[in-house]
Amino acid sequence: MKTGSVALALALAMTSAHAADKVKVGFLSTLSGPGGALGVDIEDGFKLALKSTGNKLGGLPAELVVVDDQQNPDVAKQATDRLLKRDKVDLMTGIVFSNIMLAVGPTIFDAKTFYVSANAGPSQYAGAQCNPYFFNVAWQNDNLHEAVGKHVAEKGFKNVALVAPNYPAGKDALTGFKRYYNGKVADEIYTKLGQLDYAAELAQIRATKPDAVYIFLPGGMGINFIKQYAAAGLAKDVPLFGPGFSADEDVIRAAGDAMNGMYNASQWAHDLPNAENRKFVADFEREYGRLPSLYASQGYDAALLIDAAVRKVKGNLDDKEALRAALASADFKSVRGAFKFNRNHYPVQDYYLRVVEKDAKGRVTNRTVGTIFKDHADAYANECAMK
Amino acid sequence: MSAALAAEQALNGLQLGLMLFLMAAGLTLVLGIMDTINLAHGSLYMTGAYLAAATYAAAGSFLVAVAAAVVGTALIGALLEMTVLRALYRRDHLSQVLATFAIILIANEAIRMTWGPQPLALPTPRALSGPVELLPGFLYPAWRLVLIAAGLGVAVLLFILVTYTRAGMRVRAGASNREMAEVMGVDVKRLFTVVFAIGAALCALAGALLGPLLAVQVGMGESILILAFVVVVIGGIGSIRGAFVGALLVGIVDTAGRALLVPALASIAIYVLMAAVLFWKPQGLFPARG
Amino acid sequence: MKVSLHTPAAGWWWAAVAAMLAAFPTIAANFGQEYYIGLATRMLVFGIAATSLNLLVGYGGMVSFGHAAFFGTGAYAVAALADRGVSAPWITWPLAMALAAMLALAIGAAALRTRGLYFIMITLAFAQMVFYLVVSVKTLGGDDGLSLAARGIGESALFYTALALAVLAACGLRRLANAGFGRALQGVRENEARMEAVGFPVLRIKLAAFTIAGAVAGLSGALLATLNGRAGPGLLDWPQSGQLLVMVILGGVGQRFGGFIGAAVLLAMEEVLSPYWVHWQLVLGIVLLAVVLRAPRGLAGMLARG
C-alpha cells in the first residue's frame, strides 16, 4: 500500500512537472486608429469563446495579455519582444494586417512559440517560407479574391474593371482574382494608399462601361469608394464585387444602404446553418449588441482551436512536437462548418457567395447566396516543404 | 478622353477643390492673423463629421445634423481657443506644433471613448443619393453638385464678409499687420476667438457635407489636414483669395493626376505642384503680408 | 533675454548616466529581464535620430517635417544590402549614412531656398515623394517592407554600439555647436539677414547642417533596421517625421540632450501606458500638453533650471 501510494505520488509529480498550470496567450492586434475596429472584432470573438469554455483553454485557466500594435510594425515588434521575453506567453494570436505579421513572424518562430492567425494570411508563410509554428484559421490572403474571380467568371461577366491601392498587396489581390477570372479586364486602376476621394476613378470606370467592378480597398478606402460608387449611380447598373473582408459588418455599418447589392465571397457568414454558428451568432449578439463579422468568427475559432489542441496534449505545452500535431489535427467544431488544415497550416475549406441587402428585420447585412468553392486550398501549398 | 469624361473630371476637380477650400480658409486665417500653426484643425473637421452623424442618427434630418455640427463645432472651437490656444499665441511655432499635436491625440481618444472604434454611418439624403442627368448622357452625382454649390456659396459669403464688412476689414488688418491693428483699436482678443470659431465652423461644414461620401472614423482629420496645409502654402498665408485659388489648383491637379498619370506619379502630383509654385513664388500665390 | 551660443560641458551626472547605461545589460540579464535591453537600444537609436533633428531645428532654426526620409532611407539601405547578402554592420551602416547624406544634399539644395512654414511643407513634400516611390516598388517589399535575413550582430553588442554612438553624437553635437561652423549656424538661426550681410555663406552653412543631420538620421535608421530585423515604409511616412519632431520639442529644442530625453520619455510613456489602457494616447496627449504649457524649453530645460 505504501509503495503504491509512493508510486502514485511519484507518477503524479512527474506528470504535473510537465503540465502547465495555465495557458498564457499573447493577443497582439490593431486596436486603435482606422483599422482598430477589426482588431476589436477579433478580440471580442476570442473572448466570447473563452466565456463559453469558462475562461479555460484545454481545461487550464487562460490568461489573455492584450496589446495594441497601433497598425505600426515597429510598435508590433516591440510588443512581440515584450510578450515573448517578459510576459513569456505560450501562444500568440490576433494580428490583423499582413505587413505586421511579416514583421514579427520571424521573432515568434525563433522563440519556438506557436502563432495562430485569426486574420493575416500572407502568401510568404503559405509557400516557401511556411513554418511549423504558424497556423492560420482564417484564409490565405488570395483565397477570397480567387473565390470572387471564379464566381464572376462562372456568372458570365466578360468585361470587368479592377480597383486596388498601388502597393504589392493590392497587386497580389488582383492577381488572385485573375487566377480564376480569365475574361477581359476593362480597366485596372491603382489608387493612392489612403486615398479619400474616388471621383476621378469613378468617372473613368463609367467611361469604360464594364459589366462588373471588383475592388480590393481595405478599411476606410473601401467605405469611401462604396459610398461614392452609389452616389455616382453606378451601383444600379454595374454590380460591385469585393472580398468578404471588405464587405462585412464593419463596412456595412459605415456605408449603410449604399452597399445594397454588393456581392462578396467569404469562408463564413452569420446565416450558415450549422449548430455551432447559430450558438455563436446568438451569443455574440446578446453579449455585444451587434452582429458578428467574419473577423469575430475567426477570433472565436482561433480560441476553440487552441482549446482543442491544449486538451489534446493534456496541458503539456512544452512538448512542441505534440502541440504542433495537435494544432494541425484541428480537432474542433468551427463555426464555418467543416475545417481542416493543409500541410502548410492554412485552411482547406468551402467559400460562399454573399450579397449585402436588407434582411427581414430591416438590417443591412450579408445573406449567403451559394457556394463557390468546396475544399479549396491556396495556390502556394505546393511550394511548402513541410510534412 | 471623351468630352463627357473630361467634363465629369473637371467637375470632380472643382468639387474636391471647393471642399479643400472650406478646410483651408479657416487654417490660413488662423495662421495669418494669429501666426499660429494649428494641427488640431483636422480634429475640428472630424468633430463636425461625428456630430453630424450622431445628430442624424438621433434626429433623422440631414439639415438638422449639419446645423448641429456647425454650431457645436464652432462652440468647441471657441472654447479651445479661449483655453489652450490663447496660451500659445506668444509662443514659437514649435511649441504650437507640439501643443496642437497633443490636442489631436486627446481629440482622437475622446471621440473613440464616446463613439467607439467603428466608423459611423452618415448616409446621403435619399433624394440626393443618386446621379443627376446634367446633359443627355452626362450623369453626375447629385450630392457632389450640392457640395459644389455649398462651396461656392461659402466662398461668395466669405468674400463679401471680408471685403465689404467692417468685421472683414478688421480680419484683413489683423492678417497683414497684427500689432498695427491692435494699436488702431481692434479688439484683438475677441477677433481671434471669432476667427477661430469661424474656421471651426467651416471645418465642421466640410466634415458634415463630406460625411456621406467619406468614412466617418477616428483619425479622418489627419489625412485632410496635410492637403489643407498644402493649399494654404500654395495660396499664401493669411489670404482667403489665395486659399480659394490654391484649393482649386490642388483639386484640379490631383484629379487630373489620377485620371491621366501613372499611380506612382499621381500620388505626388500635388507635392510637385507645391514645390513648383514655391520656386516661382516662395511665399505662395497671394500672401497677405506681401 | 541674452542668448548664449555656447553649449556648456555636461555636468558630472551625465557621465553617471552613461556609466549606469553601460552596466545595464548585465543588470538586466541578472534579473531575467533581457527584454529591456532591446527597449533601451530603441531609446538610444531614436535618441540619436532626434538629436540629428535637433541640430537642424534647435541649432539651425530649420524646422524639417521630412526627416523621416533620411531615417527610413538608412533603414532601407541596410535591408536592401542584406537582401543582396551584405549584412556586416561596419559595411552597411556607413553606406546607409552615405546614401542618406546624398539624399539630404539633394533635398536640401532644393528646399533651403524657402523659410518658415514654407520650408516645413517643402520638406514634407519631398519626404512624401520618397515614401510613395518606395512603397510602390516591389523589390523593396512595398507595404510589407524588407526583412533582414540575419541581424549580423548580437543583442548586447548592438546595445553597446548604440550607446557608444549615442555618446559620440552627444559629444559631436557639442563640439560642432561650439566650433566656428556651429556658431555660424546658430547665428543664422538668430538672424539670417544679418549673417548674410556680414558675408557668411548662409545657404552653404544651412545645407551643410542639413546634410550632416540627414547622414546621422540615416545612421540611426540603419541601427533601427538592424535592431528590428526589417525596414518598413512607415519609417518614411510623415507620422514618423512628426514623432521625431515631437521628441525634439518634448526634450527641449536646442538643448544638447533634448533629443535623447525626448526620445526616452516618449518611448517610456508608450511602454508603460499602452499595456494598461487602450485609450492611453489620451494620457500621452495630456502630458505633452502640460509639458508645452508649463515647460517652455522642454524637459531638458526643466532639468537645467531645477
Side-chain angles (χ1 to χ4, degrees):
Chain A
M1 178 95 152
K2 223 171 166 188
T3 350
S5 53
V6 168
L8 182 61
L10 267 174
L12 277 173
M14 271 172 35
T15 47
S16 61
H18 286 293
D21 54 352
K22 65 172 188 264
V23 181
K24 217 168 177 183
V25 177
F27 189 94
L28 176 65
S29 190
T30 305
L31 301 169
S32 62
L38 310 181
V40 168
D41 257 10
I42 299 178
E43 189 189 352
D44 285 347
F46 196 93
K47 283 187 167 153
L48 187 68
L50 281 183
K51 197 160 178 235
S52 76
T53 62
N55 206 34
K56 291 196 164 76
L57 286 169
L60 295 173
E63 187 182 324
L64 200 63
V65 184
V66 178
V67 185
D68 180 13
D69 65 21
Q70 299 169 52
Q71 207 170 339
N72 182 330
D74 201 41
V75 173
K77 182 85 185 13
Q78 191 65 14
T80 303
D81 281 342
R82 195 188 313 129
L83 287 169
L84 293 172
K85 293 191 197 157
R86 193 189 71 177
D87 302 327
K88 302 203 177 19
V89 295
D90 301 307
L91 295 113
M92 280 185 66
T93 184
I95 294 176
V96 176
F97 297 97
S98 291
N99 64 333
I100 309 259
M101 186 71 244
L102 290 169
V104 302
T107 313
I108 301 176
F109 308 147
D110 283 347
K112 295 194 173 26
T113 305
F114 286 99
Y115 185 84
V116 177
S117 178
N119 200 64
S123 59
Q124 288 89 332
Y125 293 161
Q129 290 176 52
C130 62
N131 194 294
Y133 291 96
F134 182 82
F135 286 85
N136 180 304
V137 296
W139 20 252
Q140 197 275 312
N141 289 346
D142 293 1
N143 288 150
L144 298 188
H145 307 297
E146 292 169 348
V148 183
K150 177 158 184 287
H151 169 76
V152 164
E154 281 180 351
K155 237 350 203 240
F157 290 101
K158 293 197 182 40
N159 196 18
V160 180
L162 308 173
V163 186
N166 186 32
Y167 69 140
K171 302 198 179 105
D172 286 349
L174 297 185
T175 306
F177 179 86
K178 285 185 281 184
R179 199 172 285 140
Y180 283 84
Y181 169 79
N182 30 35
K184 182 162 161 294
V185 171
D187 204 351
E188 199 162 327
I189 302 175
Y190 290 101
T191 59
K192 182 166 82 169
L193 258 184
Q195 185 170 316
L196 304 170
D197 186 270
Y198 294 94
E201 288 78 8
L202 288 165
Q204 242 178 295
I205 291 175
R206 199 205 297 281
T208 12
K209 296 202 211 322
D211 53 11
V213 174
Y214 182 72
I215 59 166
F216 169 59
L217 290 169
M221 294 188 272
I223 298 173
N224 296 347
F225 185 90
I226 292 170
K227 281 186 174 186
Q228 294 165 33
Y229 193 79
L234 286 166
K236 273 192 302 255
D237 312 310
V238 184
L240 186 64
F241 293 86
F245 47 66
S246 296
D248 216 297
E249 291 298 313
D250 51 312
V251 180
I252 291 173
R253 209 166 301 128
D257 280 318
M259 252 180 108
N260 283 335
M262 180 174 178
Y263 286 88
N264 63 94
S266 170
Q267 88 287 8
W268 171 89
H270 66 72
D271 54 359
L272 286 180
N274 66 74
E276 283 72 31
N277 197 32
R278 271 197 277 262
K279 175 175 185 295
F280 164 61
V281 176
D283 288 348
F284 196 92
E285 271 199 276
R286 196 179 323 120
E287 180 81 15
Y288 299 109
R290 64 180 196 272
L291 279 172
S293 64
L294 51 58
Y295 302 99
S297 77
Q298 288 153 199
Y300 193 81
D301 275 350
L304 293 184
L305 171 68
I306 297 174
D307 175 58
V310 174
R311 190 171 300 117
K312 221 176 193 175
V313 295
K314 297 191 187 27
N316 190 352
L317 299 173
D318 290 328
D319 188 345
K320 301 291 179 187
E321 194 40 53
L323 188 52
R324 194 191 72 80
L327 282 166
S329 66
D331 214 349
F332 74 106
K333 285 198 162 53
S334 163
V335 295
R336 75 198 77 176
F339 184 92
K340 60 178 189 277
F341 280 120
N342 201 342
R343 59 180 219 267
N344 59 3
H345 297 166
Y346 274 77
V348 176
Q349 60 193 349
D350 301 342
Y351 290 90
Y352 305 99
L353 181 71
R354 308 187 303 184
V355 69
V356 178
E357 57 184 33
K358 265 207 168 79
D359 71 355
K361 293 192 193 141
R363 302 176 294 196
V364 178
T365 188
N366 272 300
R367 180 172 69 89
T368 307
V369 178
T371 310
I372 305 177
F373 275 128
K374 272 208 141 324
D375 291 331
H376 180 71
D378 63 89
Y380 304 91
N382 289 332
E383 298 165 30
C384 173
M386 285 203 301
K387 216 184 299 177
Chain B
M1 192 187 282
S2 73
L5 180 59
E8 185 169 354
Q9 299 291 35
L11 279 179
N12 288 335
L14 181 64
Q15 179 250 298
L16 177 61
L18 286 170
M19 286 299 105
L20 284 177
F21 169 65
L22 290 183
M23 293 288 299
L27 196 60
T28 198
L29 282 181
V30 168
L31 204 52
I33 299 176
M34 287 105 99
D35 197 24
T36 302
I37 297 184
N38 176 25
L39 295 183
H41 204 66
S43 304
L44 292 168
Y45 161 82
M46 175 177 70
T47 308
Y50 265 88
L51 284 177
T55 313
Y56 183 82
S61 155
F62 200 85
L63 274 172
V64 173
V66 172
V70 169
V71 171
T73 311
L75 287 172
I76 292 175
L79 202 66
L80 192 66
E81 194 273 341
M82 292 191 286
T83 50
V84 178
L85 260 78
R86 218 166 256 187
L88 296 172
Y89 292 144
R90 298 278 171 222
R91 303 282 298 273
D92 57 297
H93 281 181
L94 286 174
S95 303
Q96 296 166 353
V97 164
L98 187 59
T100 50
F101 172 74
I103 295 177
I104 293 179
L105 293 178
I106 296 173
N108 278 343
E109 287 307 317
I111 297 252
R112 219 150 66 88
M113 293 199 297
T114 318
W115 282 291
Q118 316 264 8
L120 286 191
L122 182 57
T124 327
R126 188 150 305 227
L128 298 162
S129 58
V132 154
E133 193 154 16
L134 293 175
L135 292 170
F138 179 35
L139 294 168
Y140 196 71
W143 190 247
R144 292 190 189 268
L145 287 175
V146 170
L147 294 185
I148 292 177
L152 285 174
V154 168
V156 167
L157 259 167
L158 271 179
F159 177 67
I160 294 175
L161 188 76
V162 165
T163 325
Y164 294 114
T165 65
R166 193 165 243 157
M169 184 179 68
R170 294 199 191 101
V171 165
R172 273 183 295 138
S176 63
N177 194 324
R178 179 182 15 168
E179 283 85 2
M180 188 60 87
E182 227 170 334
V183 164
M184 297 292 278
V186 175
D187 182 351
V188 166
K189 262 210 172 96
R190 217 164 57 138
L191 180 70
F192 283 12
T193 311
V194 168
V195 166
F196 198 82
I198 292 178
L202 290 174
C203 278
L205 183 64
L209 289 178
L210 284 171
L213 294 181
L214 301 181
V216 178
Q217 61 187 17
V218 171
M220 65 190 285
E222 279 72 278
S223 17
I224 208 162
L225 181 72
I226 294 280
L227 288 176
F229 268 108
V230 170
V231 168
V232 166
V233 164
I234 289 178
I237 295 175
S239 161
I240 293 193
R241 184 171 30 145
F244 187 75
V245 173
L248 286 183
L249 266 177
V250 169
I252 291 172
V253 166
D254 187 63
T255 306
R258 277 155 40 208
L260 302 168
L261 296 174
V262 210
L265 287 178
S267 318
I268 59 173
I270 55 167
Y271 297 113
V272 173
L273 169 70
M274 183 175 76
V277 167
L278 287 182
F279 280 163
W280 177 44
K281 291 203 154 205
Q283 302 235 302
L285 294 172
F286 303 102
R289 299 214 188 108
Chain C
M1 184 181 78
K2 182 158 182 270
V3 174
S4 166
L5 294 186
H6 179 81
T7 308
W12 62 267
W13 55 300
W14 288 109
V17 169
M20 277 202 295
L21 282 173
F24 183 69
T26 338
I27 302 174
N30 241 335
F31 284 93
Q33 302 284 2
E34 286 92 352
Y35 158 69
Y36 287 103
I37 301 178
L39 177 62
T41 314
R42 270 187 92 221
M43 288 181 176
L44 288 168
V45 168
F46 274 97
I48 297 173
T51 302
S52 72
L53 184 59
N54 199 3
L55 173 69
L56 268 185
V57 175
Y59 291 82
M62 297 171 262
V63 181
S64 164
F65 202 16
H67 216 56
F70 316 119
F71 186 60
T73 297
Y76 267 95
V78 169
L81 285 168
D83 216 33
R84 275 153 193 72
V86 184
S87 60
W90 51 88
I91 303 178
T92 57
W93 292 358
L95 281 176
M97 278 186 84
L99 189 62
M102 285 197 291
L103 185 66
L105 193 63
I107 292 182
L112 282 166
R113 295 170 199 284
T114 58
R115 241 157 272 160
L117 179 67
Y118 303 100
F119 178 72
I120 298 177
M121 294 305 291
I122 271 280
T123 50
L124 168 70
F126 280 119
Q128 286 301 96
M129 288 186 212
V130 174
F131 168 74
Y132 280 114
L133 269 145
V134 169
V135 88
S136 62
V137 173
K138 187 141 191 166
T139 45
L140 289 176
D143 198 48
D144 293 337
L146 262 185
S147 286
L148 270 67
R151 193 181 246 174
I153 180 174
E155 184 171 63
S156 285
L158 186 59
F159 172 82
Y160 284 118
T161 314
L163 181 60
L165 287 170
V167 169
L168 227 84
C171 291
L173 181 63
R174 175 165 178 258
R175 279 288 169 83
L176 194 67
N178 287 340
F181 170 75
R183 289 183 188 261
L185 183 66
Q186 291 176 81
V188 169
R189 177 197 71 203
E190 290 303 313
N191 196 325
E192 193 167 326
R194 189 170 295 168
M195 292 295 284
E196 187 129 35
V198 174
F200 280 91
V202 166
L203 190 61
R204 245 189 292 158
I205 292 173
K206 283 162 74 166
L207 187 58
F210 198 81
T211 310
I212 294 172
V216 176
L219 174 65
S220 57
L223 281 168
L224 189 68
T226 310
L227 175 66
N228 281 348
R230 67 183 297 275
L235 297 176
L236 292 163
D237 206 1
W238 66 266
Q240 181 63 70
S241 291
Q243 190 197 40
L244 290 173
L245 209 54
V246 168
M247 286 176 181
V248 173
I249 305 172
L250 178 65
V253 174
Q255 304 278 338
R256 182 180 172 198
F257 294 100
F260 289 106
I261 294 177
V265 170
L266 196 66
L267 292 177
M269 278 204 282
E270 188 177 292
E271 175 71 21
V272 166
L273 293 173
S274 81
Y276 294 108
W277 196 28
V278 69
H279 298 292
W280 64 277
Q281 295 196 329
L282 184 70
V283 178
L284 179 65
I286 294 174
V287 170
L288 289 177
L289 198 56
V291 169
V292 173
L293 294 176
R294 291 255 155 269
R297 292 190 302 145
L299 292 173
M302 238 167 60
L303 286 172
R305 263 185 304 152

